[in-house]
Amino acid sequence: MSDKRITDSGIEINSLYNTPIPMEELSGQFPFTRGIQSDMYRGRHWTMRQYAGFSTAEESNKRYKYLLANGTMGLSVAFDLPTQIGYDSTHAMSEGEVGKVGVAIDTLRDIEILFDGIELEKITTSMTINATASTLLAMYIALAKKQGADIQKISGTIQNDILKEYAARGTYIYPPKPSMRIITDIFEYCSKEVPKWNTISISGYHIREAGSTAVQEIAFTLSNAKAYAKAAIEKGLDINVFGQRLSFFFNAHNNFFEEIAKFRAARRMWAKMAKELGATNPKAQMLRFHTQTGGSTLQAQQSDTNIVRVTLQALAAVMGGTQSLHTNGFDEALSLPTENAARIALRTQQIIAYESGVVDTVDPMGGSFFVEELTNQIESEAWKYIEKIDAMGGAVSAIEEGFMQKEIADASYRYQKEIENNQKVIVGVNKFTAEEEVTPPLFRVDDSIRKIQTEKIAQVKAERNEKNVQQLLAKLEQNANDGSNLMPTIIESVEAYATLGEVADVLRKTFGEYRA
């Protein structure tokens, strides 16, 4: 039997490493391999964010207040599928999906309820939203203004990463070119009006969830980031300004050392890439990233074992230098997380932060012969992918040609075959199985939510100034056709209580819909 060992990306692992750490690479200094702050978590811990959203805005608001009371430092909003693809809850395509995998948002009224009793100027909010990111951000800004907040001070992140939707996830609406136009409109507007807002979270998370390797995750993510940066530069924006508001979103998977090396390699690669794109400000060269533990690694069988998986993944993210972290609930392979599962997930982060000691020194794995060499190898393999994508004309062309999609599908197929052939052990699934499975209490959302949302929309439409709404939607269509920045009119429209679906339909009419 061969003693050959490889990572999930196919990198062979030697039995011994003796590569010294490059001492010129200090934390807080280019190329930031060892971290973007000189003191890392000795200065402050990462932001502990728990991704949550389900059912109605009222129910999600209760969960947010529960999480904040239990020590969450920032909110992370999950939206239901109709919201993500620009359909009101009343639309025929929304049937059976309203409030199921996230909170249903149809109008500004829902956002007002979602954040009731929560001061937006005092928290940071991350919103996992892409095709309709402009509309959800507009609603958030509108609510901040209603609260009397200084929108120059509100902070948070919208995912706003449409390229990975075409490559891996599927919640797109418009074709790539108009989608890129909307994103750069957001960059431009926020750089002037909402300067503390992170205008994009370039996501490798969903690329990994679709089955990619760690190498593909960072290669495709950084290629997408390059495309966004180039589009912004072509619009006349300064990378030294907008580059400071770019953030990234990565997956933390099971291969502990590979994940740590992946995060270190990604930081180094983006620093080099940003510099080549013209960034001279160190803050515009830094790769800041949020991490979520791997949803696809959660198992329905013996679901309690997921607590261990999540702990190892979270530890890898922390030792890899994350700025923000969400830990999955152990029951999420079966349902939305219960309050108990959400609390255990949050306590996992807190135990790592306050009891483990791994936060006491910068880059605790730095200098490990193994981790240093693995970092180098992951970087080398990722650059090979990026060179291929550049040769195709960049990320948009590579996606249009189906290159990224095929590479991810092939990697996913290989991984699944290894599990089915017992080459890769998944505890409780293909080894160490249990005859009797114990199913934990599950959290379900029923279909009555659609009726509740339908009644809300009807009430809002009865109360709003319909003539004003239609005039603003006509203005938005004109802006979409004449190339004007869309954000001011989208904000005006949602302030007048235009629905999310109405805004999306105006843009559908102008830009069309993408068909894979």
Side-chain angles (χ1 to χ4, degrees):
M1 180 178 176
S2 171
D3 192 38
K4 184 178 180 180
R5 306 289 176 89
I6 60 171
T7 72
D8 291 340
S9 294
I11 295 170
E12 187 170 352
I13 302 170
N14 297 339
S15 59
L16 178 67
Y17 288 85
N18 56 5
T19 306
I21 186 170
M23 292 308 295
E24 69 275 10
E25 292 191 2
L26 301 175
S27 58
Q29 294 183 25
F30 184 92
F32 311 106
T33 311
R34 309 201 66 194
I36 62 171
Q37 285 102 20
S38 60
D39 58 354
M40 285 304 290
Y41 305 130
R42 289 170 68 99
R44 61 173 279 198
H45 290 145
W46 63 93
T47 301
M48 298 179 195
R49 247 182 239 290
Q50 287 305 109
Y51 185 48
F54 56 88
S55 182
T56 61
E58 289 88 344
E59 291 302 313
S60 291
N61 176 262
K62 291 176 187 175
R63 177 65 65 89
Y64 294 159
K65 287 176 177 174
Y66 171 82
L67 290 169
L68 289 168
N70 275 275
T72 292
M73 300 171 177
L75 298 178
S76 185
V77 184
F79 298 97
D80 71 357
L81 284 174
T83 303
Q84 292 181 48
I85 52 178
Y87 292 126
D88 289 335
S89 296
T90 50
H91 196 285
M93 289 291 286
S94 301
E95 188 171 355
E97 291 293 346
V98 178
K100 288 294 177 70
V101 298
V103 62
I105 300 294
D106 292 304
T107 69
L108 177 58
R109 184 71 47 82
D110 289 315
I111 290 288
E112 291 166 356
I113 297 166
L114 188 67
F115 294 102
D116 180 51
I118 299 170
E119 294 182 58
L120 301 191
E121 205 172 304
K122 293 184 178 179
I123 62 162
T124 64
T125 302
S126 172
M127 296 192 281
T128 304
I129 195 73
N130 297 284
T132 54
S134 57
T135 308
L136 271 300
L137 176 59
M139 289 181 181
Y140 194 87
I141 291 169
L143 176 59
K145 288 161 70 176
K146 288 189 77 169
Q147 286 187 353
D150 181 352
I151 65 168
Q152 294 273 324
K153 294 179 181 177
I154 62 169
S155 61
T157 305
I158 43 173
Q159 191 161 101
N160 200 26
D161 173 8
I162 203 65
L163 292 179
K164 66 94 175 48
E165 296 295 333
Y166 303 118
R169 190 162 175 264
T171 60
Y172 44 70
I173 303 174
Y174 321 110
K177 286 184 174 62
S179 292
M180 292 290 280
R181 178 259 179 103
I182 296 169
I183 288 167
T184 53
D185 279 0
I186 295 170
F187 285 3
E188 182 179 53
Y189 175 83
C190 289
S191 67
K192 298 170 185 173
E193 305 296 334
V194 199
K196 290 191 174 182
W197 196 268
N198 295 318
T199 48
I200 194 167
S201 176
I202 306 151
S203 175
Y205 184 85
H206 302 98
I207 290 170
R208 192 65 177 280
E209 289 293 281
S212 81
T213 66
V215 165
Q216 290 169 342
E217 179 187 353
I218 61 169
F220 297 164
T221 303
L222 295 180
S223 287
N224 289 347
K226 188 176 185 178
Y228 293 126
K230 281 188 168 182
I233 291 166
E234 287 169 9
K235 198 178 178 75
L237 302 181
D238 183 358
I239 191 172
N240 286 302
V241 177
F242 75 78
Q244 297 183 53
R245 303 320 310 171
L246 300 180
S247 66
F248 292 78
F249 176 25
F250 290 120
N251 202 304
H253 236 251
N254 284 335
N255 196 313
F256 185 70
F257 290 108
E258 182 173 45
E259 294 303 291
I260 294 169
K262 176 189 77 179
F263 298 131
R264 299 172 90 250
R267 250 193 315 271
R268 189 158 70 199
M269 292 175 71
W270 176 245
K272 294 173 183 176
M273 196 177 277
K275 191 174 183 179
E276 287 175 5
L277 289 165
T280 54
N281 186 328
K283 290 186 177 178
Q285 299 167 343
M286 293 176 180
L287 184 145
R288 292 166 291 271
F289 68 99
H290 170 72
T291 310
Q292 181 174 341
T293 56
S296 61
T297 69
L298 300 175
Q299 304 303 325
Q301 299 93 329
Q302 300 179 48
S303 59
D304 286 357
T305 61
N306 291 326
I307 296 172
V308 181
R309 292 186 179 94
V310 168
T311 301
L312 285 169
Q313 293 164 6
L315 189 59
V318 170
M319 296 182 86
T322 192
Q323 278 63 67
S324 170
L325 179 61
H326 163 79
T327 33
N328 290 328
F330 71 88
D331 54 2
E332 287 189 63
L334 298 162
S335 71
L336 290 170
T338 58
E339 279 196 358
N340 178 54
R343 184 174 61 251
I344 290 171
L346 177 58
R347 294 289 182 256
T348 300
Q349 293 200 49
Q350 291 164 340
I351 289 168
I352 291 171
Y354 295 101
E355 296 185 28
S356 72
V358 299
V359 301
D360 295 339
T361 188
V362 173
D363 189 25
M365 297 307 298
S368 157
F369 294 134
F370 176 38
V371 171
E372 293 298 340
E373 181 59 21
L374 193 53
T375 301
N376 294 338
Q377 287 184 276
I378 288 173
E379 178 182 9
S380 175
E381 293 301 312
W383 280 125
K384 290 176 185 176
Y385 267 114
I386 290 169
E387 287 164 8
K388 283 183 185 177
I389 291 166
D390 286 347
M392 293 177 189
V396 175
S397 297
I399 288 166
E400 288 175 340
E401 291 180 28
F403 172 73
M404 290 189 193
Q405 296 93 312
K406 185 178 185 304
E407 289 295 311
I408 294 166
D410 288 348
S412 178
Y413 178 76
R414 286 193 300 270
Y415 186 85
Q416 187 59 35
K417 288 292 286 184
E418 288 175 0
I419 293 171
E420 291 176 9
N421 294 335
N422 292 321
Q423 293 172 270
K424 183 172 291 297
V425 173
I426 305 295
V427 173
V429 176
N430 61 2
K431 198 167 186 179
F432 313 114
T433 55
E435 289 184 13
E436 291 185 18
E437 288 288 342
V438 178
T439 303
L442 302 181
F443 178 48
R444 300 290 189 198
V445 176
D446 64 47
D447 290 327
S448 66
I449 304 305
R450 189 177 189 222
K451 183 174 183 293
I452 294 168
Q453 289 301 116
T454 299
E455 290 169 357
K456 279 190 194 173
I457 292 171
Q459 183 179 354
V460 167
K461 286 186 173 181
E463 295 173 354
R464 72 186 187 181
N465 183 328
E466 191 62 32
K467 182 180 178 182
N468 185 35
V469 169
Q470 296 308 318
Q471 287 175 341
L472 287 167
L473 292 174
K475 181 182 175 184
L476 179 61
E477 184 177 353
Q478 181 182 338
N479 292 162
N481 282 304
D482 67 21
S484 302
N485 192 302
L486 298 170
M487 281 303 294
T489 307
I490 293 175
I491 293 170
E492 285 184 281
S493 299
V494 300
E495 285 177 326
Y497 292 91
T499 71
L500 175 125
E502 287 172 330
V503 171
D505 283 346
V506 168
L507 300 181
R508 278 188 179 95
K509 181 179 177 184
T510 306
F511 299 144
E513 290 190 72
Y514 179 73
R515 292 284 182 265

